[in-house]
Amino acid sequence: MTIGRVNPDFRLEDQGITGLGKVHYNLLEPALVEAALKRGEGTLGRGGALLVSTGKFTGRSPKDKHIVRTPSVEDTIWWENNAAMSAQGFDALYDDMLAYMKDGEVFVQDLVGGADPALSINVRMVSELAWHSLFNRTMLRRPERDTLDSFVADFTVINCPGFKADPEKHDCRSETVIAMNFDRKLILVGNTEYAGENKKSIFTLLNYLLPEKGVMPMHCSANHATGNPVDAAIFFGLSGTGKTTLSADPARTLLGDDEHGWSDKGTFNFEGGCYAKTVNLSAEAEPEIYATCSMFGTVIENMVFDPETLELDFEDDSLTPNMRCAYPLHYIPNASETAIGGHPKNVIMLTCDAFGVLPPISRLTPAQAMYHFLSGFTAKMAGTERGVTEPQPVFSTCFGSPFMPRRPEVYGNLLKEKIARHGASCWLVNTGWTGGAYGTGARMPIKATRALLTAALDGSLGAVKFRKDPNFGFEVPVSVPGVAEVLLDPRRTWSDPDAYDRQAAKLVQMFAENFAQYVDFIDEDVKAAVIG
């Protein structure tokens, strides 16, 4: 057994995990890269990046996530969104996973979720793969080395990609499983190499624990004005809406790109790294993120590369459009050293509207903000999947329903209360299509989006003239310096205004039908903001 830096009274044997072969505790990045290469888990890329493939699992498996149904959580879990697992099934799964691990080699990282020490949790990540251990060390927060001598985990995650679950025996859906047991403080992951399951399991955990402390957990990126942490902004958004790109503004300080909390003190990152999509990434458009792809220890997932030169192909998505790079936050030059900011002055909700209906930016009241937060709208473009011939709506409540163990209104009410208390301005930003739907119109110009966001963040947008949108009721600027006026009125960008009206009516109805599930749980002012 190999012992690294670890609390001598908190080894795996002390947790009842016995019979293992080699156990590597808290290896640093060079040792983890070396181990991954020796074990044939990846290829050393340019600059010392580690190039890996996740096999057939190139994304998360949300239908295979389970929460163990025990009396302590029975009344607080959103069971319509979270699959239940029996305690007996989990116990059998745990026993069988430990039997699978017998005499095996594992890599342990003792890490932290949450930049605010008063609200963070200690997590022990036990990995079958060395590169998963590197990923976990990159993505979560790394405690000081001398604190590891007294580190005790609040929760433990065990990830064995080679282990296959038995649905009948383990009370799960398939051979792939992500099972969370709040009573036993354990999370078990099996039969998937997709590393994102590790970080999202901690996000789900914090999404359950923090609301009890009055903290709003958020699937968002965040930044603040350079030299002024009090001037913070958060960017909610589903995959593909620009969450990472738009928050990585060289004129502002980056807090993080994916997971944050909003406490009574302000905003704080949950993570210590970033997990960015690399499809069509370019040095011109996103130089800071592009540069990390050739830095030591960056994990490059599912990217095609030249076997001789090791040059990455950012345009070849034949393995998956979800190819990614994972890198520590400090690889971004303007990243915050503390990952802590003030209360958000601006709350931005990003949507990629492939219907071409929504304006490029709209101002929301607090009630409208809760409405759009609970809706969590974006769209799937035609042609992205077999049989999809026109844009299809995606409504993922709280901009991240797969990670929300509690009912949506818990998070919605927290957000609404914090917006009201701290006087944040709220904006809905469409990074999708204009001049028509996907296939007819054009993608919203990134320069226009950046100009509008800059105006929102520096306060100048609040001084322009606004009109009320006839379809959704929010306010839309009439003119903004540096932005074509026609772009601000999406109906004018369509060659056939009547076709726009039909498309808008269709989208309004989709919103109303989706929101019907929440009307019994929301306040009257939010009901008044409901459209349709």
Side-chain angles (χ1 to χ4, degrees):
M1 179 174 289
T2 301
I3 303 295
R5 195 70 183 261
V6 64
N7 180 345
D9 298 320
F10 194 62
R11 295 175 298 176
L12 289 182
E13 297 97 319
D14 299 293
Q15 292 184 268
I17 304 174
T18 59
L20 299 174
K22 291 183 178 180
V23 180
H24 306 278
Y25 290 99
N26 296 307
L27 296 184
L28 297 177
E29 289 81 356
L32 290 169
V33 171
E34 182 180 20
L37 295 174
K38 283 183 176 179
R39 289 161 53 91
E41 295 177 4
T43 300
L44 190 65
R46 289 185 171 187
L50 184 64
L51 316 180
V52 299
S53 168
T54 63
K56 69 176 183 178
F57 289 91
T58 58
R60 292 178 293 99
S61 301
K63 293 182 180 179
D64 292 308
K65 289 183 66 174
H66 300 265
I67 294 177
V68 178
R69 197 164 200 153
T70 61
S72 66
V73 301
E74 173 69 37
D75 297 330
T76 51
I77 298 295
W78 181 22
W79 293 113
E80 293 86 352
N81 185 62
N82 295 273
M85 175 182 282
S86 66
Q88 295 79 7
F90 183 89
D91 292 345
L93 176 65
Y94 180 68
D95 291 343
D96 288 347
M97 189 171 282
L98 292 192
Y100 166 84
M101 296 166 63
K102 186 177 181 182
D103 298 325
E105 185 176 24
V106 298
F107 299 83
V108 179
Q109 289 288 325
D110 293 327
L111 301 164
V112 175
D116 185 342
L119 297 167
S120 63
I121 60 170
N122 289 345
V123 291
R124 167 163 278 187
M125 310 295 289
V126 181
S127 308
E128 183 181 18
L129 298 175
W131 83 261
H132 269 198
S133 196
L134 174 63
F135 176 91
N136 294 335
R137 182 170 176 77
T138 299
M139 291 308 306
L140 292 172
R141 301 193 64 80
R142 300 161 289 280
E144 296 295 330
R145 296 294 285 178
D146 58 4
T147 66
L148 294 174
D149 295 334
S150 58
F151 184 97
V152 175
D154 299 307
F155 276 78
T156 297
V157 179
I158 302 176
N159 190 329
C160 294
F163 174 83
K164 296 183 183 297
D166 181 336
E168 185 173 343
K169 183 178 182 181
H170 301 140
D171 192 25
C172 53
R173 190 186 75 95
S174 73
E175 292 181 335
T176 301
V177 65
I178 303 99
M180 180 175 292
N181 190 320
F182 285 98
D183 287 5
R184 296 191 61 175
K185 300 185 183 303
L186 279 169
I187 300 172
L188 306 178
V189 184
N191 195 46
T192 172
E193 287 192 38
Y194 184 65
E197 297 289 10
N198 293 290
K199 81 182 210 88
K200 288 305 185 187
S201 68
I202 304 305
F203 185 40
T204 303
L205 180 60
L206 289 167
N207 281 339
Y208 183 78
L209 298 175
L210 290 179
E212 291 184 343
K213 300 178 180 180
V215 177
M216 172 64 185
M218 304 176 292
H219 186 213
C220 73
S221 58
N223 63 25
H224 66 71
T226 301
N228 185 12
V230 174
D231 185 3
I234 54 177
F235 302 76
F236 289 102
L238 296 163
S239 179
T241 58
K243 185 158 43 72
T244 299
T245 298
L246 294 172
S247 62
D249 184 342
R252 293 174 65 86
T253 298
L254 178 69
L255 292 178
D257 78 327
D258 196 44
E259 302 170 6
H260 292 80
W262 186 352
S263 72
D264 289 340
K265 295 184 292 183
T267 313
F268 63 99
N269 194 352
F270 290 168
E271 301 184 299
C274 298
Y275 193 35
K277 280 191 171 184
T278 56
V279 62
N280 298 322
L281 186 67
S282 71
E284 293 74 26
E286 298 175 84
E288 294 86 3
I289 298 174
Y290 185 88
T292 69
C293 294
S294 56
M295 292 184 178
F296 182 79
T298 292
V299 178
I300 306 290
E301 283 184 354
N302 300 317
M303 285 193 69
V304 174
F305 60 91
D306 186 294
E308 182 176 357
T309 67
L310 300 176
E311 183 177 356
L312 299 170
D313 191 333
F314 292 89
E315 297 181 358
D316 188 342
D317 62 356
S318 57
L319 294 178
T320 174
N322 195 36
M323 52 195 193
R324 291 180 178 263
C325 62
Y327 51 89
L329 193 61
H330 64 261
Y331 277 10
I332 300 297
N334 62 323
S336 167
E337 292 184 3
T338 65
I340 295 175
H343 295 290
K345 287 188 175 180
N346 288 278
V347 173
I348 295 141
M349 300 182 187
L350 302 171
T351 180
C352 179
D353 174 23
F355 294 86
V357 169
L358 295 176
I361 195 166
S362 311
R363 184 167 61 186
L364 307 175
T365 66
Q368 289 170 336
M370 184 175 178
Y371 175 83
H372 284 278
F373 178 71
L374 291 176
S375 297
F377 168 72
T378 192
K380 187 183 299 180
M381 283 87 73
T384 57
E385 291 183 6
R386 185 178 180 183
V388 178
T389 58
E390 61 179 13
Q392 292 185 355
V394 175
F395 292 97
S396 184
T397 188
C398 307
F399 294 98
S401 62
F403 324 119
M404 302 297 163
R406 296 180 182 269
R407 280 203 55 87
E409 58 270 14
V410 172
Y411 307 104
N413 285 326
L414 269 171
L415 181 65
K416 182 187 172 190
E417 181 270 331
K418 290 186 179 298
I419 288 172
R421 182 191 302 180
H422 301 289
S425 298
C426 301
W427 310 92
L428 181 69
V429 173
N430 174 23
T431 61
W433 268 254
T434 184
Y438 173 79
T440 301
R443 194 73 189 257
M444 194 71 69
I446 185 65
K447 289 184 177 180
T449 300
R450 289 191 182 280
L452 290 167
L453 278 175
T454 297
L457 297 180
D458 68 19
S460 61
L461 189 58
V464 306
K465 182 180 179 181
F466 284 79
R467 65 176 177 85
K468 185 174 181 180
D469 183 85
N471 297 302
F472 289 87
F474 43 51
E475 293 184 317
V476 181
V478 174
S479 64
V480 178
V483 178
E485 190 172 312
V486 66
L487 198 66
L488 297 169
D489 186 350
R491 189 173 187 270
R492 289 173 57 195
T493 67
W494 283 51
S495 60
D496 183 351
D498 291 336
Y500 171 85
D501 292 339
R502 292 191 296 270
Q503 187 85 315
K506 180 179 178 181
L507 185 59
V508 166
Q509 185 61 30
M510 290 176 183
F511 265 86
E513 290 174 356
N514 171 74
F515 202 79
Q517 62 187 303
Y518 306 123
V519 293
D520 293 334
F521 305 98
I522 57 175
D523 296 337
E524 291 301 320
D525 57 342
V526 180
K527 288 182 181 179
V530 174
I531 57 177

